[in-house]
Amino acid sequence: MHWSDLIWLRWKIFALGFDRTMEDTYGFHQYTYGYRRRYLSQRSIYKLCDAHAVDIVQPDMGSSGGILETKKIGDYAEEKDTTMIMHFAGTPICFMANVHMAAATQNALALEIPNQCSDNPWWPNLVRMVGKKPMITKGFANVPDDAPGLGVELNDEEIKKHLHPEDTSYFAPTPQWNDLRSYDRLWS
């Protein structure tokens, strides 16, 4: 395979470091590379998009600030003609949140499917789809447009089968939080 057949070179920026990538932007402009959000600040992402140093951004919604922050990253990238491919590795609940976020972002090209689906056939069974559509059809995620919220409910019985052997508690009581107050005035 020739280098020009690549869609993106995922670890380029992480390997070189942010400063080196910015310095080499024009020297390597024939390559297409992406980045993963957990290694860079949101401001760095914007700088990369502003400099056209990347053609694809690859935020991980689980570590980039959730749905809203990832949507902001995608929208900013779109303004700079930069494509977004969603990175994902996690639970079926987080997967469905990624599906909704990707569906709501115009420049989202793809959402990685976690290897847990193929390695663990029970993975999609950790939740029940609320609507009529299955989670995945022929490799494509379905946006549950006929169900509320993320379109899934926990499958308690299936989850309990796959708890960690050293801690088999399932939603154990947390009395230690009954009296502790954070006084978080940022959000309240």
Side-chain angles (χ1 to χ4, degrees):
M1 178 168 74
H2 192 265
W3 67 266
S4 64
D5 294 332
L6 294 174
I7 294 176
W8 81 96
L9 188 58
R10 186 164 128 165
W11 297 105
K12 177 74 171 162
I13 291 171
F14 180 63
L16 292 177
F18 178 74
D19 294 333
R20 170 84 189 277
T21 301
M22 292 300 288
E23 291 171 14
D24 292 347
T25 296
Y26 299 104
F28 289 102
H29 70 276
Q30 72 269 29
Y31 294 101
T32 302
Y33 23 93
Y35 80 97
R36 290 189 49 199
R37 164 63 176 92
R38 69 180 182 197
Y39 302 121
L40 301 173
S41 69
Q42 190 173 19
R43 183 169 291 179
S44 297
I45 295 165
Y46 292 168
K47 286 181 181 178
L48 288 169
C49 291
D50 289 341
H52 299 286
V54 292
D55 295 317
I56 297 172
V57 295
Q58 191 177 21
D60 181 335
M61 194 179 76
S63 61
S64 66
I67 293 172
L68 180 60
E69 291 302 314
T70 307
K71 176 80 168 106
K72 288 178 183 177
I73 291 168
D75 290 346
Y76 191 87
E78 181 185 2
E79 289 178 17
K80 303 299 179 179
D81 296 321
T82 304
T83 302
M84 181 174 68
I85 294 177
M86 300 294 300
H87 173 70
F88 170 74
T91 68
I93 295 170
C94 188
F95 178 71
M96 293 310 296
N98 273 271
V99 168
H100 280 277
M101 210 296 305
T105 307
Q106 291 184 14
N107 65 330
L109 176 65
L111 166 61
E112 290 180 321
I113 188 82
N115 63 347
Q116 292 96 324
C117 286
S118 58
D119 294 347
N120 301 309
W122 48 264
W123 183 87
N125 298 328
L126 295 174
V127 295
R128 289 187 197 96
M129 297 300 291
V130 177
K132 296 178 179 153
K133 298 177 183 177
M135 185 182 298
I136 299 167
T137 304
K138 296 182 180 180
F140 292 90
N142 292 308
V143 178
D145 54 5
D146 60 347
L150 297 178
V152 295
E153 292 178 344
L154 291 178
N155 182 346
D156 296 329
E157 297 78 29
E158 189 68 26
I159 292 171
K160 289 176 183 177
K161 292 178 190 175
H162 305 285
L163 294 172
H164 194 280
E166 293 178 17
D167 182 9
T168 58
S169 61
Y170 184 66
F171 288 105
T174 54
Q176 66 271 27
W177 296 105
N178 289 351
D179 298 318
L180 186 65
R181 296 187 54 90
S182 69
Y183 199 69
D184 182 359
R185 304 313 278 167
L186 180 61
W187 304 110
S188 57

